[in-house]
Amino acid sequence: MLEVDSVDAYYGESHILRDLSLHVEEGEICALLGRNGAGKTTTLRSIASTEEPDVRSGTIRFHGQEITHMATEDVAVRGISLVPEERRVFPDLTVEENIHIAEVVRNRSNVLGRNVSFGRDQMANEDIYEVFPRLRERLSQKGGTLSGGEQQMLAIARALKQNPDLLMLDEPYEGLAPQIIEGVEAAIERIREDGTTVLLVEQNAIAAMNIADRCYVVDQGSVVFDGTADELREDEDTRQRYLGV
Ligand code: ATP
């Protein structure tokens, strides 16, 4: 579904991703692990084609079509959604309005004619609330008053509204208590069962290995391990050297 082939990416003159390759298969949960600063977020940003970093060589293909250097919105309408680490929710809008805004943005790109040939139906609010029953209970609560876990759920819900084929989550468990992590984990598994492929970046390698089918470990901008979650669990050397667990 997604193929990242020999990508070199830069912030200004800082060379961050070095010959990085990975692939994500349809229907799987794939985790990108590694220490702080290893290049995980940069990888997601390269795929989403955000303004930075600058991908200077290599190719990124989605459903066989090259998306390297494509406009961010065009990558999004092709079916890739990124939930960034900052969990962007509108603090002064209610849960319902936050989700509605995602819909408006989508309709606007329709007006701009961007997804004429890539149109997919938006996910119905009911289906989103099935994944996140907690949000249904808080429809009229302001985004800014939600707990960290609920804000994460809302940020994911907003991305799901676009009905992506590939949902990319940047550190979804960051700052969440173990019990809340379990709720987010269950939601991610449910999202996959509903047919969405997931690429997840996490510092919390143990939690990520719980739900991932396959894992990549990134160090200094390159992939140093590629295997199943079970293989990574058994590879003590890699875990200790690159993940500290
Ligand atoms: P983290 O958990 O810290 O986000 P990460 O593996 O996601 O870790 P990246 O955010 O991809 O790491 O950062 C990789 C390197 O790029 C780091 O050395 C970081 O300092 C640098 N970097 C990140 N963003 C920028 C930027 N906008 N401009 C310049 N350098 C950056």
Side-chain angles (χ1 to χ4, degrees), residues 19-21 30-32 37 47 57 59 93 102 105 135-136 153-154 169 192 196 198 209 213:
D19 196 28
L20 183 135
S21 298
C30 186
L32 209 55
I47 296 166
S57 63
T59 52
L93 298 185
V105 170
L135 293 181
R136 196 204 311 260
M153 291 175 192
L154 180 54
L169 304 173
R192 186 260 292 274
T196 305
V198 178
M209 282 189 281
D213 301 303

Side-chain angles (χ1 to χ4, degrees), residues 52-69:
E52 284 190 295
D54 177 21
V55 175
R56 293 207 192 146
S57 63
T59 52
I60 303 173
R61 286 197 181 79
F62 186 57
H63 288 314
Q65 188 180 31
E66 186 160 353
I67 57 168
T68 337
H69 306 302

